[in-house]
Amino acid sequence: MTDDLGFALEMAEKAGDLTLGYFQRTSLKIEEKRDDSPVTEADRKAEALIRKGLEERFPQDGIFGEEFGEKPSLNGRRWILDPIDGTRSFIHGVPLYGVMIALEVDRVQQLGVIHFPALGEMFYAEQGGGAFLNGDEIHVSGVANLRDATVVFTEKEYLLDPESSHPVDRLRHSAGLVRGWGDCYGHMLVAAGRAEVAVDKIMSPWDCAAIIPIITEAGGLCFDYLGERTIYGEGLVSANATIGEELCREL
């Protein structure tokens, strides 16, 4: 484990502990952002905690977070943060929210950490080092037949949008099980081999950055709705190797 990954794990743990102090608290303060998405005092305090740690340890590194914007990088390294991915779940007392930290080096996602404080689960990976859950190595599943596959999704639009010929949209009819386990939790189900495909039709860079290295190091594929591996694309799809390769060929 590199110093970068060790520090990211430490920060994710500390930020996760902070969020638990607000979790399922009736007095939680909630505001609406300009895009009509909710934000809480826990989101902001968790990101501020991570930023402070990064600025002290890596003062020349850039920081790009959901709540406080971007600090430019002076060395090609940029940390990408989502202090609470699944804020709506967090607000409703659902334990499937995650603290997400990623390191991008020269525009390539080098490592990702996703901590689920209320579940006691820590997923992490570094390029070339494998993917892990609470210290145990994880892999995507080997399921190849869509009739045996589990597909998870976040946005209701995945089910409600009009009929589409897009390969990922067709999965909602051909997969054996389709369930709404969303946000970063759904993608980590794929990383751990608990599901075969996770679909998000609406994503921001901080939603994707930590997911990509974990899925990739677990043996899977991540791509947007055009089949590109990017944190700036249209949505994000995570899949095991066999089904992911088939979807990419069709795209």
Side-chain angles (χ1 to χ4, degrees):
M1 183 183 298
T2 65
D3 289 342
D4 289 333
L5 180 55
F7 191 71
L9 289 168
E10 178 186 342
M11 287 292 97
E13 187 79 42
K14 289 181 177 179
D17 289 345
L18 184 153
T19 66
L20 286 175
Y22 294 88
F23 185 55
Q24 296 182 337
R25 199 171 80 180
T26 56
S27 60
L28 180 68
K29 296 178 182 178
I30 305 167
E31 299 176 16
E32 293 289 326
K33 295 192 287 190
R34 291 182 179 178
D35 62 359
D36 294 328
S37 64
V39 63
T40 73
E41 55 188 323
D43 293 79
R44 291 181 173 140
K45 288 184 177 180
E47 182 169 324
L49 182 153
I50 299 169
R51 281 178 174 267
K52 183 175 185 294
L54 291 172
E55 288 169 353
E56 291 175 352
R57 181 70 174 270
F58 305 108
Q60 292 193 318
D61 290 8
I63 304 175
F64 183 31
E66 179 174 9
E67 307 307 335
F68 296 111
E70 184 161 14
K71 169 194 170 186
S73 172
L74 301 177
N75 56 9
R77 289 164 48 98
R78 181 173 70 156
W79 297 87
I80 303 177
L81 315 176
D82 190 346
I84 296 180
D85 186 69
T87 297
R88 295 183 192 277
S89 293
F90 180 81
I91 290 169
H92 287 87
V94 178
L96 307 183
Y97 73 93
V99 177
M100 304 175 70
I101 301 176
L103 173 61
E104 182 183 76
V105 180
D106 296 329
R107 309 288 288 183
V108 176
Q109 281 69 57
Q110 181 70 24
L111 66 82
V113 172
I114 303 179
H115 179 34
F116 297 95
L119 298 178
E121 294 190 341
M122 181 83 79
F123 290 81
Y124 57 93
E126 192 165 26
Q127 192 174 55
F132 298 85
L133 165 58
N134 291 351
D136 295 323
E137 192 164 8
I138 55 174
H139 303 277
V140 297
S141 80
V143 172
N145 193 322
L146 286 175
R147 290 176 296 180
D148 300 321
T150 295
V151 175
V152 299
F153 64 94
T154 298
E155 293 87 3
K156 62 183 180 296
E157 286 79 9
Y158 180 67
L159 294 179
L160 299 180
D161 279 353
E163 291 294 324
S164 167
S165 61
H166 192 283
V168 176
D169 288 339
R170 292 203 304 268
L171 293 178
R172 59 190 178 183
H173 301 297
S174 56
L177 183 65
V178 180
R179 289 290 185 270
W181 297 317
D183 300 312
C184 58
Y185 180 73
H187 294 274
M188 292 305 96
L189 290 177
V190 175
R194 300 167 178 170
E196 281 62 59
V197 182
V199 180
D200 267 295
K201 301 192 77 170
I202 303 170
M203 293 288 267
S204 298
W206 47 79
D207 298 316
C208 306
I211 291 172
I212 291 175
I214 298 174
I215 292 289
T216 303
E217 288 299 318
L221 298 175
C222 275
F223 47 90
D224 71 358
Y225 256 61
L226 298 177
E228 301 293 331
R229 175 175 164 163
T230 175
I231 64 174
Y232 300 103
E234 180 184 346
L236 185 72
V237 180
S238 297
N240 74 6
T242 304
I243 294 175
E245 288 170 0
E246 179 180 342
L247 292 172
C248 283
R249 280 196 299 271
E250 293 185 40
L251 286 169

